[in-house]
């Protein structure tokens, strides 16, 4: 039988599509480049999340997107300000990709 080809070292980044909620319309897919984290790094990041600005948190978990606008702190802040559901969508996609487990709330 073929052996699984799993590398013990993961890629430092991964890409994932985030459906950004648009009021009164369908969500718009935006592909983000996310920073990969180990279990320990994720736990540490989550601990520091409380009280942090959401745009700063996005800058810590992502390094790019497929929008024409450049991926920088002011544009991320603008996206999160204009699309209130964006932070939740980005956060949920990031966590879901890292753990690949859908937990029921």
């Amino acid at each position: 039988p073929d052996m699984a080809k799993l590398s013990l070292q993961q890629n430092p980044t991964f890409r994932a599509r985030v459906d950004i909620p648009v009021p009164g319309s369908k969500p718009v897919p935006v592909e983000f480049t996310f920073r990969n984290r180990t279990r320990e790094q994720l736990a540490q990041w989550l601990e520091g999340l409380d009280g942090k600005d959401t745009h700063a948190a996005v800058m810590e978990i992502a390094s790019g997107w497929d929008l024409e606008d450049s991926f920088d702190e002011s544009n991320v802040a603008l996206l999160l300000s204009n699309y209130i559901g964006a932070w939740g969508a980005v956060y949920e996609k990031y966590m879901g990709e890292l753990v690949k487990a859908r937990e029921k709330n």
Side-chain angles (χ1 to χ4, degrees), residues 26-89:
K26 288 183 177 154
V28 175
V30 176
E31 188 170 73
F32 279 76
T33 301
F34 287 112
R35 302 173 199 276
N36 218 335
R37 281 187 161 77
T38 63
R39 175 187 300 272
E40 295 77 15
Q41 289 167 335
L42 180 63
Q44 190 174 24
W45 179 75
L46 287 169
E47 280 177 25
L49 202 55
D50 204 27
K52 184 172 290 180
D53 286 334
T54 52
H55 63 273
V58 170
M59 295 302 293
E60 291 174 355
I61 61 173
S63 61
W65 57 22
D66 67 352
L67 297 176
E68 288 181 18
D69 305 278
S70 64
F71 182 82
D72 58 40
E73 198 156 351
S74 63
N75 282 339
V76 169
L78 191 60
L79 171 79
L80 298 179
S81 175
N82 288 333
Y83 297 95
I84 295 170
W87 161 245

Side-chain angles (χ1 to χ4, degrees), residues 78-104:
L78 191 60
L79 171 79
L80 298 179
S81 175
N82 288 333
Y83 297 95
I84 295 170
W87 161 245
V90 169
Y91 176 82
E92 283 178 30
K93 174 58 80 169
Y94 182 67
M95 295 299 292
E97 287 292 318
L98 283 181
V99 287
K100 285 290 188 194
R102 297 287 170 231
E103 292 168 9
K104 303 277 186 276

